[in-house]
Amino acid sequence: MRLTDEEQAMLAGEMGEPRRWALDHMLKVGGMFDAEDLVPVSQAHMMADPESLGDAGASFLEGIASHPAKDRRVAIPMITDPRGVDLNHYSPLGQTEEMATIERRMIAACEKLGILMTNTCINYQTIMPPMLRDHVAFGDTGVVIYCNSALGARSNFEGGPSALAAGLTGRTPRYGLHLDQNRRATKRYRLREQPRELTDWGVLGAVIGRKAGSYWEVPAIEGLEAVPTSDEMKHMGAAMASYGSTPLFHLIGITPEAPTLAAVEGDKLPVEDITAADLAALRSGFGGRGDKVDVVVFAAPQLSIVEMQQVADLIEGRKIHHDTALIVCTSPSVYADALRMGHVGAIEAAGGKVLEGTCFYNQYAREIGEANGWKRLLSNSAKIVNILGGYGYEPALASMEACIESACKGEIV
């Protein structure tokens, strides 16, 4: 790979050991993907929850953080994905002191590196969303697909070490979605059924992700009759990335790189219809009316302030069934707003629990399920029901309104 003089100096260790490690790591990643050089990035976003890190990952971060401040500080704004432990609620959830200790070690190390502990997968709804053609190095598949598609920024799925390397150097290998040729449509879908509420958008994303089925496929989607809201786009992208490893899609006439089908070369592709039967088939794989519910979860992605208000309005003055738990996950910045506006109080008065800066599936979901006896889970997130089947749960999917009704009744309504 071609390196600038500054990059050569980093690789030679002239700018400290953390940046030497980072450059070396990026050469290995870039070499695997045939990158010709590195591209400057404006910000980095790292997954660093303790379930993923473990003791070895925490020790690695502490090693980087042990170097002098001038060597260890990140070079660009760097933020974090949801944590795995809400330190205000971990014991009642059934999380252990060992889990909390790894979390505290990770937080201390990240703060020494100058990383902003935003703890969110909805950074594009809270702080400094990237711009069109902005190169960034983001972790979390839901973050990447939203920023690539809705905002026209450019990022691959960065693993934790790669995101950290980008933060330390302000660069990432130029491959994949940083290149124009990999952002053209490779699949073309026409909608024959319109999504109407958040869960419908998630189901639509799941169907298209499953059909596309590869990181290297770029769906072009035509036939939408309305422009989605940020929350609708969020649910669709998160589900598409979860079911298909998809990092980029184009909504024809809506997303910034696709004013027309021809602009993304989708006019040359055969078209496949997405029908009501396709959407119904995906929903049919989950639990149904009358099934008992142990826990209702709103997470993956974390809730925006608008969603927090919707949940609070639906549940205010009601009580959760005594055999059912209600968990709501949001970012620290949204939590502060929701607390100020009374939404957190409304949810907790009904018996729900609002977790700050975590997300359900990456907070030791298997262990807390076993600790609380949770098996049957209900959510309005197509992403989370896809993931949690692998964690020992029996998940089901329903609208936000049906989730609240089910939480109060103790069974799927």
Side-chain angles (χ1 to χ4, degrees), residues 222-243:
E222 56 185 322
L224 268 176
E225 295 174 356
V227 177
T229 66
S230 176
D231 283 332
E232 291 165 344
M233 188 81 89
K234 176 176 72 173
H235 276 264
M236 180 170 68
M240 200 183 302
S242 178
Y243 280 80

Side-chain angles (χ1 to χ4, degrees), residues 28-328:
K28 291 170 180 169
V29 173
M32 185 171 72
F33 289 103
D34 298 324
E36 296 183 357
D37 62 359
L38 304 175
V39 59
V41 291
S42 64
Q43 52 179 310
H45 172 266
M46 179 174 68
M47 292 187 69
D49 59 270
E51 185 175 0
S52 302
L53 281 176
D55 180 70
S59 296
F60 174 78
L61 273 177
E62 289 170 335
I64 296 286
S66 69
H67 290 271
K70 68 179 179 57
D71 296 340
R72 70 180 185 232
R73 292 275 299 188
V74 292
I76 55 175
M78 184 162 185
I79 56 180
T80 52
D81 210 37
R83 298 195 324 247
V85 177
D86 183 333
L87 293 170
N88 295 319
H89 288 294
Y90 69 94
S91 185
L93 269 181
Q95 294 174 320
T96 66
E97 197 59 44
E98 181 183 5
M99 297 171 186
T101 297
I102 295 176
E103 184 74 78
R104 293 189 186 97
R105 290 170 59 194
M106 188 274 292
I107 292 170
C110 286
E111 288 178 346
K112 282 188 173 181
L113 296 173
I115 295 172
L116 301 166
M117 301 297 295
T118 52
N119 308 329
T120 184
C121 62
I122 56 167
N123 52 300
Y124 48 84
Q125 290 185 313
T126 52
I127 56 164
M128 204 164 75
M131 305 294 287
L132 178 65
R133 292 187 287 277
D134 196 2
H135 291 273
V136 296
F138 282 177
D140 188 292
T141 53
V143 171
V144 170
I145 192 171
Y146 187 101
C147 291
N148 272 319
S149 308
L151 304 179
R154 299 183 171 210
S155 180
N156 293 307
F157 292 150
E158 298 280 5
S162 294
L164 177 60
L168 287 165
T169 62
R171 296 157 170 82
T172 196
R174 194 193 307 265
Y175 71 95
L177 295 174
H178 293 288
L179 301 172
D180 290 342
Q181 62 265 31
N182 294 326
R183 303 183 67 84
R184 300 168 187 151
T186 64
K187 299 281 187 180
R188 179 180 172 186
Y189 300 104
R190 180 183 296 135
L191 302 187
R192 296 299 187 186
E193 178 75 8
Q194 297 296 311
R196 291 176 175 79
E197 50 88 27
L198 285 183
T199 308
D200 293 340
W201 286 92
V203 170
L204 174 61
V207 167
I208 292 174
R210 184 174 279 174
K211 285 179 178 290
S214 166
Y215 180 84
W216 300 107
E217 300 288 1
V218 179
I221 303 161
E222 56 185 322
L224 268 176
E225 295 174 356
V227 177
T229 66
S230 176
D231 283 332
E232 291 165 344
M233 188 81 89
K234 176 176 72 173
H235 276 264
M236 180 170 68
M240 200 183 302
S242 178
Y243 280 80
S245 298
T246 309
L248 167 66
F249 62 86
H250 299 296
L251 298 183
I252 304 306
I254 296 175
T255 52
E257 294 178 79
T260 64
L261 195 57
V264 290
E265 302 186 13
D267 54 332
K268 302 179 179 67
L269 299 170
V271 62
E272 181 177 356
D273 285 346
I274 304 294
T275 66
D278 292 321
L279 305 177
L282 189 130
R283 289 177 181 272
S284 68
F286 300 107
R289 185 171 296 178
D291 287 350
K292 179 179 178 296
V293 178
D294 296 319
V295 59
V296 174
V297 174
F298 292 111
Q302 292 174 329
L303 273 63
S304 69
I305 189 64
V306 174
E307 292 173 289
M308 291 293 292
Q309 182 183 43
Q310 291 167 345
V311 171
D313 286 349
L314 287 167
I315 207 167
E316 187 164 17
R318 308 183 68 184
K319 286 291 181 184
I320 303 301
H321 190 274
H322 54 79
D323 288 333
T324 303
L326 172 67
I327 305 291
V328 179

